[in-house]
Amino acid sequence: MENTKSDLGKAENKKVVAGVLGIVLGAFGAHKFYLGYQKEGIIQLVVSIVTCGLGSVIGFVEGIIYLTKSDEEFYQTYQVGKKPWF
């Protein structure tokens, strides 16, 4: 199935917002919730609480990974393929 220009525009918007959320609010799993990964968002939140905030490094790294992927790669990996971690 081909992506239309509007599909890629939506993917880019999700990529940027998810990346920024991962960097800024990664400890709370905000980027996971935004992408529709509720179970993973709760896991991220619990890990951050149990490790006294050290788990937020995962969200920070994921945010950077999201922002460095191409729009198409991000769309295929996290929105179509539903890859929940890294």
Side-chain angles (χ1 to χ4, degrees):
M1 182 168 141
E2 268 187 50
N3 295 324
T4 64
K5 196 165 186 92
S6 65
D7 287 341
L8 289 177
K10 290 178 187 174
E12 180 181 354
N13 287 339
K14 278 204 168 196
K15 178 182 101 165
V16 172
V17 173
V20 171
L21 285 172
I23 291 169
V24 177
L25 298 172
F28 303 109
H31 59 298
K32 296 292 188 186
F33 290 115
Y34 181 73
L35 291 173
Y37 301 127
Q38 282 74 26
K39 181 175 78 173
E40 290 80 3
I42 292 169
I43 291 169
Q44 178 66 47
L45 181 59
V46 169
V47 166
S48 292
I49 291 170
V50 169
T51 62
C52 298
L54 291 177
S56 64
V57 172
I58 295 169
F60 182 80
V61 169
E62 284 187 323
I64 292 172
I65 290 170
Y66 292 170
L67 293 174
T68 57
K69 288 191 178 286
S70 70
D71 295 342
E72 179 63 27
E73 187 178 11
F74 177 84
Y75 180 77
Q76 290 299 325
T77 304
Y78 299 107
Q79 292 181 264
V80 174
K82 296 287 187 186
K83 180 180 177 186
W85 298 102
F86 294 93

